[in-house]
Amino acid sequence: MRWVLGAAGAGLLGWGGFLLLPLLFDSFENTVSLGGWLIGGPVLHDAVVAPVVGLLGLVISQRVGRAWRTPVVTGLVVSAVLTALSVPWLWRSFAPYVNPGLHDRNVLLGLVIALAVVWLAVLAAGLVNRRRLSATPPADG
């Protein structure tokens, strides 16, 4: 089964590369733009964003109590993913095609609302955890 999945993945990778070739050689501006997107984005993420978010999560998780640790770390991860997904839409100068119904929204407002919902869920989960841990009798008697 692994060989089938690997062959399918290699075939799809080849098809993606085949579709990318005309864009690479279309113009110098497209080549630079694609290079920035395909190389710069992952390098920026792996060299800067991921270590900073990981270190921030580690420091915050050490500072909060046991009841808050899992909700806060989960909230940080979900917030980082939501923010990373919204960056291309906030940076509209490189958005390729305007899709009615998708691009005519206030993305920043949507991101703020989504982050508020995430952190309200973190608050609720932390309060539930704290109540549950305080109701649990101590282990030594």
Side-chain angles (χ1 to χ4, degrees), residues 31-45:
T31 303
V32 171
S33 177
L34 281 170
W37 181 254
L38 294 173
I39 297 170
V43 168
L44 178 67
H45 175 269

Side-chain angles (χ1 to χ4, degrees), residues 68 119-129:
W68 293 92
W119 286 97
L120 284 175
V122 167
L123 179 66
L127 290 174
V128 168
N129 279 349

Side-chain angles (χ1 to χ4, degrees), residues 33-98:
S33 177
L34 281 170
W37 181 254
L38 294 173
I39 297 170
V43 168
L44 178 67
H45 175 269
D46 291 349
V48 178
V49 175
V52 168
V53 170
L55 190 61
L56 185 66
L58 181 66
V59 168
I60 290 174
S61 68
Q62 297 299 317
R63 301 268 185 225
V64 298
R66 184 174 150 215
W68 293 92
R69 192 165 297 150
T70 300
V72 166
V73 170
T74 303
L76 284 172
V77 169
V78 172
S79 297
V81 169
L82 287 173
T83 304
L85 289 175
S86 68
V87 165
W89 305 112
L90 293 171
W91 192 358
R92 291 182 66 118
S93 63
F94 293 104
Y97 303 105
V98 175

Side-chain angles (χ1 to χ4, degrees), residues 79 82-83 86 90 106-120:
S79 297
L82 287 173
T83 304
S86 68
L90 293 171
N106 188 344
V107 176
L108 182 61
L109 179 63
L111 175 64
V112 169
I113 291 171
L115 291 176
V117 169
V118 166
W119 286 97
L120 284 175

